[in-house]
């Protein structure tokens, strides 16, 4: 069976979902570490949510963005250097720089005191997310040999 580009996107989405759920759990762990070492405060991590709602929110958030980032990983797979977990780590680092460091640098200008905690937590979450994705995602064919069949039949 010849794998299509759509097959790689589906694989990225499914593996991204798995990695996103795991990353949600990692976020909970590192949120508590950040609170423990006083890089962040409970109200910045949990907001006004109960613990149960916070856990549910983190897992849903991790799942949704896990799927989106998983598809992006599949799309840019050949452009990311290295192999295996290092490829995933580099992808996680790129995500962290674009989706966390950049917007948080704008917020820090206004004195938002939770910025350091959010950057700290997110580094570990996205790094581990990328590593998991890098370990799980395997591409069987080079980009040139993938068929582009998006038809229904």
């Amino acid at each position: 069976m010849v794998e299509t580009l759509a097959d790689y996107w589906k694989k990225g989405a499914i593996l991204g979902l798995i990695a996103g759920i795991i990353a949600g759990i990692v976020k909970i762990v590192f949120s508590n570490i950040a609170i423990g070492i006083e890089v962040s405060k409970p109200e910045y991590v949990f907001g006004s949510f109960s613990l149960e709602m916070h856990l549910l929110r983190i897992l849903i958030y991790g799942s949704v963005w896990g799927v989106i980032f998983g598809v992006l990983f599949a799309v840019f797979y050949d452009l990311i250097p290295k192999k295996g977990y290092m490829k995933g780590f580099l992808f996680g680092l790129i995500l962290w720089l674009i989706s966390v460091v950049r917007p948080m640098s704008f917020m820090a200008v206004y004195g938002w005191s939770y910025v350091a905690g959010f950057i700290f937590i997110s580094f570990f979450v996205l790094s581990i997310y990328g590593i998991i994705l890098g370990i799980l995602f395997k591409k069987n064919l080079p980009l040139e040999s993938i068929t582009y069949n998006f038809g229904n039949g």
Side-chain angles (χ1 to χ4, degrees):
M1 178 181 161
V2 176
E3 290 184 299
T4 66
L5 186 60
D7 292 331
Y8 284 115
W9 291 4
K10 288 176 195 172
K11 185 190 298 186
I14 292 167
L15 296 177
L17 174 66
I18 294 167
I21 291 170
I22 295 170
I25 295 166
V26 169
K27 183 176 187 331
I28 294 165
V29 170
F30 278 96
S31 294
N32 288 317
I33 291 171
I35 292 168
I37 62 173
E38 298 181 0
V39 176
S40 190
K41 297 180 181 178
E43 58 268 21
Y44 298 153
V45 173
F46 300 113
S48 61
F49 294 99
S50 67
L51 180 59
E52 295 81 14
M53 285 304 297
H54 176 68
L55 295 175
L56 182 63
R57 182 177 61 133
I58 292 300
L59 291 177
I60 291 171
Y61 181 83
S63 299
V64 170
W65 282 103
V67 168
I68 294 168
F69 289 157
V71 171
L72 286 175
F73 185 74
V75 169
F76 293 109
Y77 185 84
D78 290 324
L79 300 175
I80 303 168
K82 305 290 184 191
K83 293 181 182 179
Y85 76 93
M86 276 306 294
K87 181 181 281 276
F89 174 74
L90 289 173
F91 180 71
L93 189 61
I94 292 166
L95 289 177
W96 179 70
L97 288 169
I98 293 170
S99 67
V100 176
V101 174
R102 183 181 178 278
M104 287 295 119
S105 66
F106 294 125
M107 292 180 185
V109 171
Y110 298 103
W112 290 31
S113 55
Y114 68 84
V115 169
F118 189 75
I119 290 173
F120 171 83
I121 295 165
S122 298
F123 172 78
F124 291 102
V125 171
L126 291 172
S127 295
I128 292 171
Y129 169 81
I131 289 169
I132 293 167
L133 205 54
I135 291 169
L136 295 177
F137 190 92
K138 300 293 181 249
K139 197 166 187 179
N140 300 328
L141 300 170
L143 188 60
E144 297 82 32
S145 62
I146 297 174
T147 57
Y148 296 90
N149 180 9
F150 292 103
N152 293 332

